[in-house]
Amino acid sequence: MEPTITLICGDDLETNVFASSYAGDLSILFRFSFDASQRRRINSRIVACFHDLEVDDAESSFADRAAMRLAIQSSISQAWQECASHPSVRLPDVVVQIQENEHGEVSWQIIHESSYREYVGGLMTTEHVRSTLIPESRRSQLELMPLGSSQLSDVLGGRGDTTLTQTSNGSDTRRTFVYKGLSFRPFLELGSGFHDEKETLYHEPGVVYSLPSHPNIISPLCFLITTKLLSSGTTLSSTDTNYICGSLYPYLEQQSFQEVIEKSNQSGKVLSQTLKAKWAHQISSALAATHRSNQYHMDPKPNNILLDNDDNAILID
């Protein structure tokens, strides 16, 4: 099965490029690192192109981003068949290092990142989230799901990891959600900036659960996503301590207000007054309910308003 790349990003030090990929139920994080002594090897060329590093000759980079992306896809495809069957590749601390050997062949190596323990240690435990962020009356509604139970696919943009995910949760029926969280990749990518993203991650569930139930406000998150420390290089810890690394929200297949406005402008088709009045009333009602609960949205832009299957406006984020 050909892997699909969902995200390509670089680190703040401009020495690495990461590529998140998946095929079937397996997601893998790949890394290409710059080697100053081997500037013409594919891993160094990818980093030089992505970060716009100054190079001495054209063979130390790529002509453009499209050529770079093709090289990343080709390298991952070559490595996937072997590394996907490695017994450790599904562990959460694993990064697959891609490089080019002296014969011009793509090689790969499973790396157990020592910083994974620091990453998990900086997350809040399940009990801490329950007791400090979620109102007591809503705590019984929380459900937990291990990160490994979700198959992350299409990146939706926004802060941290905002990704479509499918999960079966032990059944044959797969359901689609929106995963919002901070996996290990942003920790490796953001460095010191990870702290600010983490504050946002934990702030949002508390806000969502403090809001009253309202037909035009996104429903509370469906699951909190958990991870664990590793007790060794090959197994997850057997302790009961779970750490919250994200959450799953209902997925609305319809477009956002931003897309509706852009399509209307491009086509020249004017939205009906009835529809606009309906949306204005629904958005006002949702914002009023938010303010009555002593919360403020702060960013009610068109991208943060979605439509459900009945063309009702739903306030998110």
Side-chain angles (χ1 to χ4, degrees), residues 262-270:
E262 290 175 354
K263 288 182 178 179
S264 175
N265 291 338
Q266 292 169 2
S267 66
K269 183 178 180 181
V270 179

Side-chain angles (χ1 to χ4, degrees), residues 279-317:
W279 290 339
H281 171 74
Q282 291 176 336
I283 295 168
S284 299
S285 178
L287 289 173
T290 302
H291 296 165
R292 284 195 297 270
S293 65
N294 296 318
Q295 300 288 349
Y296 297 91
H297 191 285
M298 305 300 289
D299 194 20
K301 60 186 179 182
N303 268 336
N304 285 336
I305 302 168
L306 303 181
L307 297 177
D308 65 13
N309 291 333
D310 296 317
D311 281 335
N312 292 309
I314 306 296
L315 188 66
I316 65 170
D317 284 352

